[in-house]
Amino acid sequence: MDDKKDDLDFDYKYGFSMPERTVQETGRGLSPSVVRQISQIKDEPQWMLDFRLKSYDLFNKSSRPKWGPDLSALDYDAITYYKKSTESAVKSWDDLPPEIRDTYDRIGVPEAERDFLAGVSAQYESEVVYESVQKELTKQGVVFCDMDTAVRKYPEIVREYFGTLVPPGDNFSAALNSATWSGGSFVYVPKGVHVTLPLQAYFRINSESFGQFERTLIIADEGSFVHYLEGCTAPIYRTDSLHSAVVEIFVKKGARVRYTTIQNWSGNIYNLVTKRAKAEEDAVMEWVDCNLGSKVTMKYPAVILAGRGARGEMLSLALAGKGQHQDTGARMIHLAPDTHSRIVSKSISKDGGRSSFRGDVRVAKGASGCSSSSVCDALILDPDSRSDTYPSLRADTPDARLSHEATVEKIDEEKLFYLASRGIGTDAAQGLLVNGFIEPVVRDLPMEYALELNRLIELEMEGSVG
Amino acid sequence: MLSIRNLTAGIDGKEILHDLTLSFEPGKTHVVLGPNGSGKSTLAAAIMGRPDIILSEASELTLDREDLRNLSADKRAKLSIFLSFQSPLPIPGVSVEELLRVALDGKKDPVTLHHELHTLAKEIGLAEEFLSRSIHDGFSGGERKKIEAIQAAVLAPSLAIFDEIDTGTDTDAVKRIAEFLQTRLSQDATKIYITHSPKLIELLHPDSVIILKDGRIAAEGGHDLATKTIEEGFGGIEVRGEK
């Protein structure tokens, strides 16, 4: 028990455990007083409160997009915008929807982990791994903490960058997040430092890393490298139906950032995320974005290629099953000369699911020597499912080389027969074909995530169309 | 023993095989010859259980007295039937090693399988990279057929059907594949080769030869029938039961 106490002390020292709070939650709905309450609970400086209130106004004035998925069922007044994170989302394992319990059982998530992920427990005990990682990071001068802590401990740097890449007025979801944000991660990597292990929000032991209005800010200083990972393959259950997040990443000269997301929200959730990175001279920004869960996802990660020689990459994977609409995409904004971007998108639609991919590539005037290639492949497993691609390529520079390819395929009967002749039944064969289809994205995931994802796909294919 | 009686089969309402009665004995090498469009590949696929091939009510298809008719292709494969495809399609993102790992479903541990595949590739003369690349994706004819033969060796079927294992390969590859299969397949296995290649027939020394023409059995015999047919062509062979 002594060890346990030490771990807790350790966590407190680095600001990851939740401080004592008297207020449990803000109640349903959003108002200036709720916004003030959130800021007060977090003991924020005035500038952050002002930022939130201004964002609240912008949210009220904002209009919903006239394109994309149907958001009409989303009731902003029914949502609790702040809940004390040490409180469980559901009371017990039995309160979870049966299909979520079933998935946990079948992918074999350890009990402690699944309690946490499913919201049954607000704490995930992983102190031992976490502590050694954190020690190593501290030695290198890397800051990795939750956003609430960063506002208190590193106000100058946060204030300089926060909300500058994704301003609150950018879109309705960004405005909502800016007014109500809580949790998320802050990462600062000093000049020339290469962080060898991926930083995982997973290591952080409070549930705000899986919060519903999280805010993430990453600053990779010149010549540094970091790989940030969020999410996990196991479904994450929340009773409130909205997840609205903002991620801002600053990739300085010669630095490289890879940001990997595996999203598997439960089927009741509207997942609206604004992700944007700015890549300076010779910097590299890579988004790897896997969307498996949620009811509706709207997410179009962007790279602003602002310095000469910068590169942007987007590898995306979407699985749209029954009742799901995965509306995802990528934006590559070439502002500087000799910048290059690549988009690879793979989508799978099944059981009436719908996946849409929106590509937006722009080359600004004067940005000569730029190139961009997009490849969007869709796999549709049954006639009820749907896939759409909306590419937009615009170059204001004559020498820009832009390409876009899109393919749509179905599961080939001949391939199923071939696999059957090796003794592989229809479900397993479909799983194999789908895993093969997504392999170009999955191979860029860390090994354990790749394996989990493949396993999850196999499970998804069981009992799918024959 | 694979026993076929009164087998009539078609695709999309078009009858391709007409009332075939044949038996294939264990431990023997059988060769099926015939002009293009004579129904050889349909026969192979019907034995394996391709879903779009419809058999008539009267057709009988049994392996060691077990009725195959109501078994799906994967169930037949589990009864140890194997079909090597004439033109296998590429499967992006899936290597032969992954495919076999799923096919074996834990019956062989992955490390043993990995080593076995490397040994087999070396033996048949296939570069190791083809074991980890997407199966049949950008492979030459010879590479495809070698991968098919390697799968036969790993799955160790008791009934193995090779649909033109020689086409698209050079003479040297045909020889290597034939020798490989003769060494690697069980002595007790029933082997059926569909082929046009005199070279392959010469290498195989078949115990029995069946000639198909227009979906009917035109002739049955031993090795000498194959030799005669190759020398004289299919023109001289009358389809039994016609005219």
Side-chain angles (χ1 to χ4, degrees):
Chain A
M1 285 333 275
D2 279 341
D3 287 344
K4 182 110 179 169
K5 187 178 176 293
D6 286 343
D7 285 337
L8 288 171
D9 286 343
F10 168 85
D11 293 322
Y12 184 72
K13 193 166 77 186
Y14 288 94
F16 287 90
S17 67
M18 299 310 297
E20 285 299 314
R21 285 174 189 147
T22 47
V23 179
Q24 299 291 316
E25 59 171 68
T26 55
R28 285 171 194 273
L30 193 57
S31 65
S33 97
V34 165
V35 172
R36 283 177 192 281
Q37 220 179 331
I38 295 171
S39 188
Q40 194 185 357
I41 292 164
K42 294 173 183 296
D43 197 16
E44 285 176 349
Q46 186 64 36
W47 67 268
M48 186 54 84
L49 173 62
D50 294 343
F51 176 85
R52 287 181 185 274
L53 289 169
K54 187 184 81 182
S55 303
Y56 172 77
D57 277 345
L58 287 166
F59 174 66
N60 276 342
K61 286 179 199 148
S62 67
S63 54
R64 307 295 167 264
K66 294 184 175 52
W67 45 272
D70 181 11
L71 301 175
S72 59
L74 185 53
D75 181 2
Y76 297 95
D77 294 329
I79 290 160
T80 304
Y81 288 88
Y82 181 80
K83 221 179 259 171
K84 188 173 175 181
S85 67
T86 48
E87 193 186 321
S88 310
V90 287
K91 283 193 180 63
S92 82
W93 196 240
D94 296 330
D95 294 338
L96 285 171
E99 66 275 13
I100 299 257
R101 272 182 295 179
D102 191 42
T103 308
Y104 279 102
D105 285 346
R106 289 156 87 187
I107 46 182
V109 180
E111 202 172 327
E113 261 180 65
R114 67 184 195 183
D115 280 0
F116 169 70
L117 296 172
V120 175
S121 126
Q123 298 288 320
Y124 171 51
E125 313 289 340
S126 65
E127 290 90 342
V128 182
V129 192
Y130 172 69
E131 183 170 357
S132 62
V133 171
Q134 190 64 0
K135 261 185 190 152
E136 186 60 33
L137 293 175
T138 308
K139 214 159 63 186
Q140 291 181 303
V142 175
V143 179
F144 176 35
C145 62
D146 66 57
M147 201 63 230
D148 301 53
T149 306
V151 171
R152 287 194 304 273
K153 285 182 74 174
Y154 312 100
E156 305 80 19
I157 193 161
V158 171
R159 199 173 177 180
E160 186 184 341
Y161 292 95
F162 194 97
T164 59
L165 202 48
V166 180
D170 190 81
N171 65 73
F172 77 103
S173 169
L176 181 63
N177 172 280
S178 298
T180 61
W181 74 268
S182 200
S185 297
F186 174 75
V187 178
Y188 173 78
V189 187
K191 273 186 192 175
V193 170
H194 284 229
V195 183
T196 46
L197 268 180
L199 295 184
Q200 303 183 50
Y202 204 63
F203 282 146
R204 298 215 332 257
I205 46 164
N206 60 51
S207 67
E208 294 215 340
S209 48
F210 290 113
Q212 286 184 243
F213 299 95
E214 88 255 30
R215 184 93 196 187
T216 290
L217 174 61
I218 298 174
I219 300 151
D221 217 329
E222 293 181 9
S224 67
F225 167 73
V226 67
H227 182 185
Y228 182 85
L229 259 163
E230 65 168 357
C232 54
T233 49
I236 297 182
Y237 182 68
R238 292 291 182 270
T239 45
D240 266 327
S241 62
L242 176 61
H243 171 247
S244 162
V246 169
V247 178
E248 295 172 291
I249 301 177
F250 295 84
V251 196
K252 302 285 187 177
K253 186 178 171 182
R256 178 176 158 223
V257 174
R258 167 170 285 215
Y259 191 107
T260 300
T261 303
I262 297 180
Q263 176 271 111
N264 197 4
W265 289 106
S266 48
N268 58 326
I269 290 194
Y270 288 84
N271 179 44
L272 313 174
V273 181
T274 310
K275 286 179 165 172
R276 200 165 296 162
K278 183 179 174 188
E280 291 178 10
E281 194 179 329
D282 294 325
V284 180
M285 176 65 213
E286 299 156 321
W287 296 108
V288 182
D289 211 84
C290 305
N291 295 292
L292 309 169
S294 81
K295 178 188 176 76
V296 167
T297 285
M298 289 179 82
K299 179 167 32 165
Y300 322 96
V303 183
I304 296 169
L305 300 144
R308 182 186 285 270
R311 283 192 291 135
E313 187 161 306
M314 168 75 181
L315 297 174
S316 99
L317 169 65
L319 175 65
K322 192 177 176 185
Q324 286 184 284
H325 188 171
Q326 304 283 12
D327 199 284
T328 61
R331 304 177 71 192
M332 295 290 172
I333 314 298
H334 296 254
L335 297 180
D338 303 319
T339 52
H340 306 281
S341 64
R342 186 169 83 107
I343 298 168
V344 176
S345 157
K346 296 268 181 183
S347 73
I348 302 143
S349 310
K350 64 187 270 282
D351 303 331
R354 181 172 174 193
S355 65
S356 311
F357 188 87
R358 298 171 198 276
D360 181 8
V361 177
R362 292 184 223 173
V363 181
K365 207 169 174 178
S368 59
C370 294
S371 72
S372 176
S373 74
S374 309
V375 180
C376 298
D377 298 324
L379 183 64
I380 301 176
L381 297 189
D382 53 73
D384 299 332
S385 303
R386 179 172 166 186
S387 167
D388 311 279
T389 306
Y390 307 93
S392 159
L393 308 172
R394 273 184 289 168
D396 295 326
T397 313
D399 70 347
R401 283 163 291 135
L402 309 181
S403 71
H404 174 84
E405 282 173 52
T407 67
V408 179
E409 53 181 292
K410 295 181 166 65
I411 291 274
D412 194 308
E413 293 296 328
E414 177 75 11
K415 288 178 188 172
L416 287 179
F417 175 54
Y418 182 80
L419 295 171
S421 76
R422 299 333 185 217
I424 303 172
T426 309
D427 289 347
Q430 289 212 4
L432 198 59
L433 292 175
V434 173
N435 277 327
F437 173 77
I438 61 175
E439 192 270 343
V441 174
V442 173
R443 70 170 164 228
D444 272 309
L445 295 175
M447 175 75 97
E448 69 274 25
Y449 283 78
L451 292 173
E452 282 174 25
L453 192 62
N454 286 339
R455 178 78 186 119
L456 193 78
I457 294 284
E458 284 163 21
L459 288 174
E460 287 281 344
M461 291 307 128
E462 277 179 26
S464 200
V465 277
Chain B
M1 178 153 83
L2 175 70
S3 174
I4 294 170
R5 287 179 67 84
N6 307 113
L7 182 100
T8 296
I11 301 169
D12 287 336
K14 185 172 176 276
E15 200 174 298
I16 296 169
L17 300 172
H18 317 286
D19 200 27
L20 303 186
T21 295
L22 286 164
S23 59
F24 297 92
E25 285 176 44
K28 298 268 167 70
T29 298
H30 309 263
V31 162
V32 179
L33 281 169
N36 285 333
S38 59
K40 304 185 298 294
S41 290
T42 306
L43 175 62
I47 298 169
M48 191 72 243
R50 203 172 84 192
D52 60 338
I53 297 178
I54 309 299
L55 307 191
S56 72
E57 279 297 312
S59 302
E60 288 177 27
L61 182 61
T62 60
L63 178 67
D64 301 330
R65 297 214 176 83
E66 179 147 11
D67 187 2
L68 299 179
R69 290 200 42 172
N70 293 320
L71 298 179
S72 58
D74 59 302
K75 300 257 166 48
R76 295 186 200 190
K78 288 201 169 79
L79 286 180
S80 202
I81 302 178
F82 175 88
L83 171 63
S84 161
F85 282 51
Q86 187 184 337
S87 318
L89 293 173
I91 304 180
V94 179
S95 68
V96 69
E97 187 164 346
E98 285 170 290
L99 188 155
L100 287 170
R101 214 155 44 214
V102 176
L104 290 164
D105 195 19
K107 285 193 275 293
K108 201 173 264 179
D109 80 84
V111 178
T112 310
L113 174 65
H114 182 80
H115 290 305
E116 186 181 354
L117 283 172
H118 282 256
T119 308
L120 295 172
K122 203 171 169 186
E123 192 176 311
I124 204 165
L126 182 71
E128 286 186 353
E129 59 163 302
F130 294 101
L131 301 174
S132 51
R133 275 173 52 175
S134 296
I135 190 166
H136 301 313
D137 200 355
F139 290 17
S140 72
E143 287 148 7
R144 284 177 197 216
K145 297 306 164 73
K146 284 175 178 175
I147 284 286
E148 293 291 283
I150 286 173
Q151 290 179 71
V154 172
L155 294 169
S158 60
L159 167 61
I161 310 163
F162 299 93
D163 191 358
E164 305 204 6
I165 191 81
D166 51 87
T167 46
T169 63
D170 58 33
T171 325
D172 179 57
V174 173
K175 187 160 180 281
R176 293 204 71 153
I177 292 168
E179 282 168 359
F180 175 87
L181 290 174
Q182 279 166 325
T183 324
R184 285 289 174 175
L185 291 176
S186 156
Q187 291 303 306
D188 304 327
T190 309
K191 288 142 249 181
I192 305 174
Y193 290 87
I194 293 168
T195 182
H196 292 292
S197 159
K199 173 81 184 170
L200 181 62
I201 294 165
E202 190 191 310
L203 290 162
L204 289 172
H205 302 291
D207 300 292
S208 89
V209 175
I210 295 142
I211 295 172
L212 276 190
K213 208 175 165 187
D214 300 329
R216 294 175 205 275
I217 296 160
E220 286 184 81
H223 192 173
D224 50 334
L225 173 63
T227 319
K228 184 168 167 281
T229 311
I230 287 155
E231 282 168 5
E232 298 172 10
F234 297 107
I237 295 164
E238 291 276 309
V239 174
R240 283 185 313 195
E242 273 193 355
K243 290 175 196 165

